Amino acid sequence: MNFLPKAGWSIFAILVLGLLSPADTSAADADELRQMYVRFLSKKGWSPKVDEDGDVVFKTGDKTYFIDVHEKDDEFFMICLPNIWPIESATERVDVLKSADAANAKTMMAKVYTKSNNVWISVETFLADPRDFEGVFDRAFSAIKTATDNFVAGMK
């Protein structure tokens, strides 16, 4: 069964190969990403800096956040609020896990989890173009605040 004329197969093959090939996303290198994040956060008045791990750290209010810069995946975007709740006992860990589970179920996009003996909250996503982070930043940041509130309420 030949549903395409001979010339049509060539066009079809080009289209399929284009879909299967990795897209050129105008990938920025890690230093460009860092500078892009620093400029954006500076405009918000949050005095960002690049730490020894290469992440962009910023503080607002009494909380310190960071944007994780992945050297090998510029399409990955993550804002993180680390160390929001120390886990001081095995009994408290059970309560933390229950509260984290409830906050995860209730909050869109944010992820509440334990790392060593502390609770972290992050929003992680993939962006086809790394420059698109500006379009999702405020919503992602708000999701972290909401997840924090939901987690803390569960711990009380």
Side-chain angles (χ1 to χ4, degrees):
M1 174 196 272
N2 192 358
F3 60 94
L4 287 175
K6 198 170 203 169
W9 280 107
S10 298
I11 294 169
F12 179 74
I14 290 169
L15 289 172
V16 168
L17 287 174
L19 291 173
L20 295 177
S21 300
D24 177 13
T25 61
S26 303
D29 71 15
D31 288 332
E32 289 175 288
L33 287 175
R34 286 182 190 97
Q35 290 313 307
M36 188 170 54
Y37 299 148
V38 165
R39 280 191 303 275
F40 175 80
L41 295 166
S42 293
K43 287 179 189 174
K44 288 187 166 288
W46 290 345
S47 303
K49 64 177 183 159
V50 177
D51 70 7
E52 62 278 354
D53 295 332
D55 299 324
V56 178
V57 179
F58 60 100
K59 188 172 183 170
T60 178
D62 62 343
K63 294 181 174 66
T64 302
Y65 300 79
F66 68 88
I67 298 176
D68 190 11
V69 179
H70 276 257
E71 299 281 336
K72 296 183 184 197
D73 190 351
D74 65 355
E75 293 177 353
F76 179 74
F77 179 70
M78 175 181 149
I79 305 171
C80 188
L81 175 59
N83 305 319
I84 68 153
W85 191 280
I87 304 168
E88 297 174 347
S89 69
T91 303
E92 186 178 39
R93 180 173 294 278
V94 172
D95 294 337
V96 161
L97 294 174
K98 287 178 185 177
S99 185
D101 187 45
N104 286 332
K106 191 174 183 181
T107 313
M108 285 190 275
M109 196 70 179
K111 178 164 82 171
V112 181
Y113 56 97
T114 61
K115 189 164 185 176
S116 297
N117 286 319
N118 227 307
V119 176
W120 291 36
I121 300 178
S122 66
V123 167
E124 303 172 13
T125 191
F126 294 109
L127 301 169
D129 185 327
R131 294 171 292 210
D132 291 341
F133 85 94
E134 288 188 32
V136 300
F137 183 88
D138 288 339
R139 184 101 188 254
F141 193 74
S142 176
I144 290 174
K145 287 188 203 177
T146 301
T148 303
D149 292 345
N150 289 336
F151 172 78
V152 171
M155 290 301 292
K156 290 183 177 180

